[in-house]
């Protein structure tokens, strides 16, 4: 039950949403440069997507607890998929 309370709590507000959005933007830019331009690893893409989901969740109004929880779950799921891919097929991430 504590996990449910943690995931489906009220959004924390714009400051935290802006911080997560900034992290997402930096990660996506890093992925574009390192992953696409330099043909490097694609780990920054997963981090950018996870931060973006969390950032959008924090921007929602306080009455949208369920939507914020779903977005937080999507962000965590993205990180879980990233870890599973790193364990099972690391060459798909690291090139």
């Amino acid at each position: 039950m504590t996990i449910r309370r943690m995931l489906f709590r009220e959004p924390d507000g714009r400051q935290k949403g802006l911080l997560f959005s900034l992290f997402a933007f930096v990660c996506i830019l890093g992925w574009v440069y390192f992953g696409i331009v330099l043909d490097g690893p694609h780990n920054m893409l997963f981090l950018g997507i996870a931060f973006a989901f969390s950032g959008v969740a924090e921007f929602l109004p306080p009455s949208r607890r369920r939507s914020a929880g779903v977005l937080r779950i999507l962000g965590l799921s993205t990180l879980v998929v990233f870890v599973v891919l790193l364990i099972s097929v690391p060459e798909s991430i690291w090139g």
Side-chain angles (χ1 to χ4, degrees):
M1 287 298 172
T2 58
I3 294 174
R4 177 178 277 176
R5 250 183 299 180
M6 211 163 62
L7 289 175
F8 290 98
R9 70 183 190 283
E10 286 186 1
D12 292 329
R14 287 185 177 260
Q15 287 181 336
K16 200 170 187 180
L18 282 173
L19 185 64
F20 281 141
S21 297
L22 176 67
F23 288 157
F25 183 70
V26 168
C27 287
I28 297 296
L29 281 179
W31 171 70
V32 167
Y33 182 70
F34 293 113
I36 295 177
V37 175
L38 298 180
D39 197 30
H42 299 288
N43 54 352
M44 298 295 278
L45 175 64
F46 289 93
L47 295 173
I49 291 171
F51 277 130
F53 279 133
S54 297
V56 171
E58 301 307 328
F59 271 119
L60 294 176
S63 62
R64 305 290 304 258
R65 292 174 59 178
R66 181 170 290 177
S67 299
V70 168
L71 287 168
R72 289 180 185 121
I73 289 171
L74 285 172
L76 285 173
S77 300
T78 303
L79 295 176
V80 168
V81 166
F82 175 61
V83 169
V84 167
L85 283 174
L86 277 178
I87 291 170
S88 62
V89 199
E91 60 273 359
S92 68
I93 303 295
W94 296 108

